[in-house]
Amino acid sequence: MENKKAEWKRSEPELKLINMESVKVEQIEWLLYPFIPFGKVTIIQGDPGEGKTTMVLQIIAKLTRGEPILLNKKSQKEAQQDSEENLKQEVLSQDNPIQPVNVIYQTAEDGLGDTIKPRLLAAGADCSRVLVIDDREQPLTMVDVRLEEAIMQTKARMVVLDPIQGFLGTDVDMHRANEIRPLMKRMAVLAEKYHCAIILIGHMNKNSNGKSSYRGLGSIDFQAAARSVLIVGRLKDEPETRVMCHVKSSLAPEGKSVAFRLDKETGFQWIGEYDISADDLLSGDARGQKSRIAKEFLLDILADGGMAQKKIEEEASKQGIKKKTLRNAKQELEIDSVKRGNQWFWILSE
């Protein structure tokens, strides 16, 4: 009996306490503020075909060239207007790596040669900096030792698993918290240990509720373990326009939604901030409604000729149209800005 007690005591972990007085304060670094932090796990989810992978490959392309991911698309005229009229506009902010970086990209759905590389080339990526773990003989999982080995060998600053369910392993039920929790803990440990951004791409479920918090695939522990969760979807009335919305942000205030255009003729193009919430984006009746209203307003108010910007903004405000929504609609309609005296006028393009 005494031997069993001694064995039991030896198997118990030794108590170790951490005094918060000795903990060093660390600043969060960002791959893309406030959406993707370094050293943490980010989830990007959406329905199939909404542009999640294409958007991530565009981000990868920028990272491999050491270029800013999001550009301030405000025209020179608008910048001058804002300066003269002291308009306070939110700016998309990011801490971009000074030098090009390596990225690990793993896909369980698309072919490397016929799908992924053509998209990377179209985005202008330096493909020599995009690495893939060869898992043809043995499928890669989140707990696979090769994942950590690859991060150490390549010094990758971003790791992408696309989609999440392709890397869980055959014995894991994604709806069971006790099975998902250790996998997500493993991802969090790797991200923090090597100070890289780990991005998990996932499909949404078909919950008819539409609420973004209920549409995540599998156990809630996926989102609970991630420090940032993004949703990508398309506007019902503008299928070429896709929007990335922040639905969880544990390390910074939630970022404003950002739109991009994706069509066969012009390919991928960032649009900028977009006035729509994640729940509105997922609700079929609300998709694109604010943008459509703003466009109809501008076409109507400018039908008889140009009008002073201040007057337009005042009338738009009375109808509940936010200034950023108005600017997005102006850009979409390619409305010109012309200075007359000390005022700026908006005029429909001929």
Side-chain angles (χ1 to χ4, degrees):
M1 191 66 164
E2 291 181 0
N3 291 336
K4 288 186 177 180
K5 287 184 178 180
E7 184 179 343
W8 175 77
K9 287 182 179 180
R10 285 196 299 270
S11 65
E12 285 294 298
E14 179 184 354
L15 173 63
K16 294 182 180 180
L17 296 175
I18 298 175
N19 191 313
M20 287 302 296
E21 182 66 25
S22 65
V23 175
K24 183 180 178 180
V25 175
E26 299 177 357
Q27 296 294 323
I28 298 295
E29 294 186 50
W30 296 89
L31 185 150
L32 177 62
Y33 180 87
F35 303 107
I36 306 176
F38 281 118
K40 308 294 178 181
V41 176
T42 296
I43 289 178
I44 300 177
Q45 53 192 7
D47 291 327
E50 298 291 71
K52 304 182 298 299
T53 296
T54 300
M55 184 190 76
V56 170
L57 291 176
Q58 288 284 330
I59 292 174
I60 289 174
K62 294 291 187 180
L63 291 175
T64 62
R65 299 199 308 269
E67 297 178 357
I69 296 170
L70 295 176
L71 297 176
N72 185 5
K73 293 181 67 60
K74 193 178 294 180
S75 68
Q76 186 175 358
K77 287 184 179 179
E78 288 182 334
Q80 184 178 352
Q81 286 176 257
D82 288 358
S83 176
E84 293 178 358
E85 300 180 18
N86 296 318
L87 296 176
K88 295 181 180 180
Q89 298 291 329
E90 293 290 333
V91 178
L92 292 171
S93 166
Q94 73 180 86
D95 294 327
N96 193 67
I98 297 176
Q99 299 293 332
V101 300
N102 292 339
V103 176
I104 294 174
Y105 178 79
Q106 294 297 134
T107 177
E109 292 185 338
D110 297 311
L112 298 180
D114 58 17
T115 303
I116 301 304
K117 186 165 184 178
R119 289 185 183 182
L120 286 170
L121 292 174
D126 178 353
C127 290
S128 69
R129 290 189 172 275
V130 183
L131 295 311
V132 180
I133 299 170
D134 188 345
D135 63 351
R136 288 173 292 184
E137 295 183 1
Q138 181 178 339
L140 187 75
T141 67
M142 290 184 178
V143 296
D144 199 313
V145 67
R146 290 175 294 174
L147 191 56
E148 182 170 7
E149 290 176 351
I151 296 174
M152 287 191 295
Q153 182 175 323
T154 64
K155 295 181 173 57
R157 297 307 311 277
M158 185 167 84
V159 178
V160 180
L161 301 183
D162 180 10
I164 298 173
Q165 59 268 39
F167 301 93
L168 298 179
T170 56
D171 299 328
V172 175
D173 185 341
M174 66 188 308
H175 297 89
R176 291 183 177 274
N178 64 320
E179 297 183 22
I180 295 304
R181 197 169 295 130
L183 297 183
M184 293 302 292
K185 175 66 175 178
R186 168 68 173 167
M187 291 296 98
V189 168
L190 286 180
E192 184 173 1
K193 183 177 180 180
Y194 297 100
H195 201 59
C196 62
I198 292 184
I199 295 180
L200 306 178
I201 299 178
H203 300 314
M204 306 289 282
N205 64 40
K206 298 182 179 180
N207 191 319
S208 60
N209 182 286
K211 288 283 186 179
S212 59
S213 57
Y214 298 113
R215 292 287 312 278
L217 193 62
S219 169
I220 192 65
D221 282 76
F222 280 117
Q223 295 195 37
R227 299 298 84 196
S228 179
V229 179
L230 307 168
I231 284 179
V232 175
R234 75 175 73 198
L235 302 180
K236 180 180 179 181
D237 299 320
E238 301 174 41
E240 298 85 9
T241 301
R242 321 294 174 90
V243 184
M244 175 183 70
C245 297
H246 223 164
V247 295
K248 176 184 176 181
S249 181
S250 301
L251 305 173
E254 287 188 3
K256 294 186 177 181
S257 299
V258 179
F260 59 92
R261 185 178 291 105
L262 186 61
D263 60 48
K264 295 181 179 179
E265 295 183 2
T266 59
F268 183 99
Q269 180 183 16
W270 289 108
I271 296 175
E273 291 178 3
Y274 204 93
D275 184 23
I276 190 171
S277 68
D279 289 336
D280 285 343
L281 182 65
L282 295 177
S283 173
D285 294 335
R287 293 180 184 178
Q289 184 176 0
K290 294 179 182 178
S291 174
R292 184 176 64 253
I293 291 174
K295 288 181 181 179
E296 291 175 353
F297 164 79
L298 285 175
L299 290 173
D300 181 61
I301 203 169
L302 296 176
D304 296 328
M307 181 177 292
Q309 176 186 323
K310 284 188 176 180
K311 180 64 175 177
I312 295 174
E313 290 176 344
E314 289 173 0
E315 294 299 320
S317 180
K318 292 178 183 178
Q319 297 192 27
I321 301 173
K322 294 183 179 181
K323 189 173 293 186
K324 188 60 188 180
T325 305
L326 191 69
R327 289 293 182 94
N328 284 336
K330 173 183 181 290
Q331 182 179 340
E332 290 286 323
L333 294 172
E334 298 183 345
I335 293 173
D336 294 326
S337 295
V338 178
K339 191 173 184 181
R340 296 175 180 172
N342 294 324
Q343 293 192 76
W344 286 93
F345 283 73
W346 288 6
I347 302 173
L348 289 175
S349 301
E350 297 181 358

